[in-house]
């Protein structure tokens, strides 16, 4: 859910050990020359038994850019670099990595545009957080091909959103799942036994409890007084809606990352949106006007029975409801999107947060070494990141770390990695996302019909988006 700004001063001060700028500007030789010098020094030491002093230490200063309020991603980069410094020293490489940092909490699209502008002006960070529009960064020439960083250490398929024309341009840092939340307390309040409550996630997982049955359950909870609303969602445009479109058997991309306009699937999705707000009334008709804080509190307190969106949003939900994480974890269950009559199996959607290396960096090999270090010996840093923001990890070994296996929320959902769908970089997705939300708002307010909304959406896509596959 929505990111909230916070003062970063304390955190930045805590990172000063790896951010010292004392060696800035000491670029006495390039990286290749330094590595060669380090190798020669090692040979001298080996043959003479005396430590060589002929090669001078080169301190390279990388700029690290980040946008967001949880700093475990940049902290992982800094920690991996410090571990890498120790390895370089042991290997006789006369390189010392230090960082300048630039942390922000602004809109993702604004940050994306800032990176593109910084690239054009020659001032882009060496390593920076990369939003879902990887293709846009590639088109602008901002990001480095890091295909050679990929390895078996990563969860299968996690690089899919980073790929453009068969090459990887960013490294996933986590395995965030978009799922359905629901309140256990609301089910108890309408008479469900604890055994019935405990059995529901497995029934959904096994395909025994369908999406249609879940929608009926949302209505039942409201009708019996368990909750004021049965199903809520984000108050603004977002990829969460595509998950529900998928659950109704709709398609919005193909294997090549081309945008697809699936008229039948969108119609089913729009019919559900309209019915939820105007017929069964399990969704507030003015939901888009409520704001994140209100929706978070509704979900956290059980005023709304169910919600679909990123699992890491549990952080904000718990805070809004005034609950500690463990207490919230007892009250709430996270489940896959159930199988429907139009789909073959339940699923969760993976939307990893990613970091990229600037195409303009003077130190591509060092930046890649940091990424490899994170995937390897320093993967515990990514496990810590995952446990902090309630996601699984992009690294297989990290998912065995107690940061994940003992986390009150994550310990019950590790199975979801086997049901996760990775979405590729999709051309022109932002246009469909924006136009679709416009229709969702009108549908929930009862200002249009599903049929008219589909027709209007199709017209806008035909007018404004090129290379769309209509089906």
């Amino acid at each position: 859910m929505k990111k909230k700004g916070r003062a970063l001063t304390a955190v930045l001060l805590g990172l000063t050990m790896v951010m010292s700028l004392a060696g800035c500007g000491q670029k006495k030789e390039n990286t290749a020359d330094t590595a060669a010098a380090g190798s020669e020094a090692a040979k001298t030491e080996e043959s003479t038994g005396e430590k060589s002093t002929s090669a001078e230490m080169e301190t390279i200063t990388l700029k690290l850019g980040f946008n967001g309020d949880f700093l475990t991603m940049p902290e992982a980069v800094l920690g991996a670099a410090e571990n890498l410094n120790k390895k370089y020293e042991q290997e006789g490489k006369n390189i010392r990595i230090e960082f300048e940092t630039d942390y922000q909490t602004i809109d993702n699209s604004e940050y994306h545009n800032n990176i593109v502008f910084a690239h054009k002006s020659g001032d882009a960070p060496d390593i920076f957080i990369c939003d879902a529009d990887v293709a846009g960064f590639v088109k602008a020439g901002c990001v480095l091909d890091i295909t050679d960083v990929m390895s078996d250490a990563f969860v299968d398929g996690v690089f899919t959103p980073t790929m453009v024309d068969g090459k990887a341009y960013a490294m996933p840092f986590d395995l965030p799942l978009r799922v359905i939340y629901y309140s256990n307390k609301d089910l108890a309040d309408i008479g469900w036994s604890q055994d019935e409550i405990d059995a529901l996630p497995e029934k959904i997982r096994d395909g025994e409890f369908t999406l249609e049955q879940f929608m009926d359950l949302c209505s039942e909870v409201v009708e019996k007084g368990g909750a004021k609303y049965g199903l809520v969602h984000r108050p603004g445009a977002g990829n969460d809606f595509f998950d529900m479109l998928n659950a109704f058997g709709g398609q919005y991309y193909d294997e090549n990352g081309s945008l697809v306009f699936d008229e039948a699937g969108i119609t089913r999705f729009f019919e559900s949106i309209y019915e939820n707000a105007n017929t069964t009334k399990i969704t507030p008709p003015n939901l888009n006007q409520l704001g994140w804080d209100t929706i978070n509190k509704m979900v956290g307190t059980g005023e709304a029975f169910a919600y679909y969106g990123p699992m890491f949003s549990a952080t904000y939900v718990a805070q809004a409801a005034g609950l500690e994480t463990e207490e919230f974890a007892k009250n709430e269950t996270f489940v896959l999107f159930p199988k429907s009559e139009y789909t073959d199996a339940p699923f969760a959607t993976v939307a990893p947060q990613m970091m990229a290396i600037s195409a303009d960096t003077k130190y591509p090999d060092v930046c890649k070494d940091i990424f490899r270090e994170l995937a390897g010996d320093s993967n515990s840093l990514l496990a810590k990141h995952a446990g902090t923001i309630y996601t699984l990890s992009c690294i297989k070994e990290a998912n065995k770390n107690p940061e994940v296996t003992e986390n009150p929320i994550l310990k019950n959902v590790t199975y979801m990695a086997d049901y996760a769908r990775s979405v590729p970089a999709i051309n022109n997705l932002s246009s469909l996302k924006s136009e679709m939300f416009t229709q969702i708002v009108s549908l929930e307010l009862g200002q249009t019909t599903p049929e008219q909304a589909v027709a209007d959406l199709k017209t806008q896509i035909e007018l404004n988006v090129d290379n769309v596959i209509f089906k």
Side-chain angles (χ1 to χ4, degrees):
M1 295 183 184
K2 185 177 180 183
K3 295 177 178 176
K4 302 176 183 177
R6 61 176 61 181
L8 300 179
T9 304
V11 177
L12 291 174
L13 289 173
L15 298 175
T16 52
M17 290 184 65
V18 291
M19 290 163 47
S20 170
L21 303 181
C24 286
Q26 295 181 19
K27 311 252 185 334
K28 298 182 184 278
E29 48 191 325
N30 63 35
T31 305
D33 290 341
T34 303
S39 177
E40 189 63 34
K43 290 179 182 178
T44 300
E45 180 179 353
E46 182 178 352
S47 62
T48 66
E50 297 180 1
K51 191 170 183 66
S52 171
T53 58
S54 61
E56 294 186 50
M57 178 67 70
E58 179 189 19
T59 298
I60 64 172
T61 302
L62 302 177
K63 187 175 180 180
L64 176 62
F66 187 75
N67 183 43
D69 32 337
F70 286 95
L71 297 179
T72 44
M73 285 177 69
E75 286 172 353
V77 172
L78 296 171
E82 196 64 16
N83 292 339
L84 191 58
N85 279 333
K86 296 174 183 176
K87 288 186 176 181
Y88 280 169
E89 183 178 1
Q90 293 169 356
E91 294 167 3
K93 293 182 180 179
N94 294 296
I95 302 172
R96 172 77 186 174
I97 308 166
E98 295 185 350
F99 278 93
E100 294 177 352
T101 59
D102 180 14
Y103 297 161
Q104 302 181 41
T105 51
I106 60 177
D107 181 76
N108 285 337
S109 59
E110 182 181 353
Y111 189 80
H112 180 108
N113 293 336
N114 288 347
I115 291 293
V116 174
F117 179 79
H119 161 68
K120 291 179 179 179
S121 62
D123 192 36
D126 295 272
I127 298 174
F128 57 89
I129 189 169
C130 180
D131 61 30
D133 187 14
V134 176
F137 277 130
V138 173
K139 185 177 180 180
C142 295
V143 288
L144 187 71
D145 174 2
I146 62 164
T147 306
D148 54 346
V149 171
M150 297 172 65
S151 72
D152 292 339
F154 291 88
V155 172
D156 295 344
V158 73
F159 271 92
T160 299
T162 78
M163 306 294 288
V164 177
D165 295 331
K167 298 178 181 179
Y169 287 92
M171 176 177 148
F173 267 55
D174 45 33
L175 197 73
L177 300 169
R178 296 203 298 264
V179 296
I180 293 178
Y181 305 27
Y182 64 77
S183 168
N184 300 323
K185 180 179 180 299
D186 290 352
L187 291 178
D189 287 347
I190 65 168
W192 278 46
S193 69
Q194 191 60 50
D195 287 344
E196 290 174 318
I197 294 171
D198 292 341
L200 184 54
E202 186 172 353
K203 287 184 176 181
I204 291 174
R205 174 181 178 178
D206 293 341
E208 297 175 13
F209 197 89
T210 67
L211 179 65
E212 290 79 12
Q213 289 173 302
F214 191 82
M215 290 297 181
D216 289 341
L217 177 59
C218 291
S219 296
E220 181 184 355
V221 170
V222 173
E223 290 168 2
K224 293 184 177 180
K228 182 176 181 180
Y229 296 110
L231 182 66
V232 296
H233 53 68
R234 62 168 37 246
N239 291 337
D240 308 3
F241 297 113
F242 293 126
D243 300 328
M244 194 58 76
L245 171 64
N246 282 162
F248 281 105
Q251 180 184 3
Y252 65 99
Y253 64 91
D254 68 6
E255 64 277 6
N256 299 315
S258 297
L259 194 67
V260 172
F261 190 94
D262 179 358
E263 189 163 341
I266 293 173
T267 298
R268 289 192 293 270
F269 172 55
F270 278 1
E271 287 173 345
S272 174
I273 289 288
Y274 181 87
E275 181 178 348
N276 292 345
N278 296 279
T279 305
T280 61
K281 300 186 184 300
I282 62 175
T283 300
N286 65 335
L287 188 150
N288 74 298
Q289 301 171 11
L290 297 180
W292 281 113
D293 289 342
T294 299
I295 294 170
N296 289 346
K297 187 174 181 180
M298 289 167 59
V299 175
T301 60
E303 182 181 359
F305 167 61
Y307 166 84
Y308 57 95
M311 194 160 63
F312 63 73
S313 296
T315 305
Y316 304 109
V317 173
Q319 290 174 351
L323 300 174
E324 296 296 329
T325 302
E326 291 192 13
E327 183 181 4
F328 177 69
K330 292 178 182 178
N331 294 345
E332 205 79 5
T333 293
F334 303 88
V335 294
L336 302 166
F337 284 90
K339 171 185 175 182
S340 76
E341 61 179 289
Y342 304 100
T343 59
D344 297 327
F347 69 92
T349 302
V350 175
Q353 297 181 97
M354 303 168 283
M355 297 200 79
I357 299 172
S358 171
D360 306 319
T361 182
K362 296 178 181 178
Y363 308 103
D365 291 336
V366 173
C367 292
K368 288 181 182 180
D369 279 352
I370 293 172
F371 281 5
R372 292 189 184 99
E373 176 66 23
L374 279 169
D377 292 339
S378 294
N379 69 72
S380 61
L381 296 169
L382 293 183
K384 180 180 180 181
H385 163 63
T388 300
I389 67 168
Y390 308 127
T391 80
L392 299 181
S393 179
C394 58
I395 305 299
K396 296 174 185 176
E397 190 64 27
N399 280 324
K400 302 175 185 178
N401 189 293
E403 293 277 3
V404 174
T405 60
E406 297 178 9
N407 184 285
I409 288 178
L410 298 179
K411 66 182 181 182
N412 296 320
V413 300
T414 54
Y415 72 91
M416 289 187 179
D418 295 332
Y419 293 82
R421 294 181 180 177
S422 296
V423 179
I426 303 169
N427 294 319
N428 301 312
L429 182 62
S430 59
S431 297
L432 179 60
K433 184 191 312 183
S434 176
E435 294 295 342
M436 180 179 285
F437 184 69
T438 298
Q439 299 304 325
I440 288 171
V441 172
S442 295
L443 284 164
E444 290 183 338
L445 290 172
Q447 297 174 342
T448 188
T449 65
E451 296 76 17
Q452 187 60 51
V454 173
D456 291 344
L457 177 61
K458 185 175 183 179
T459 297
Q460 290 300 316
I461 298 302
E462 288 175 332
L463 290 173
N464 300 311
V465 183
D466 295 327
N467 302 317
V468 181
I469 300 171
F470 291 89
K471 57 173 289 189

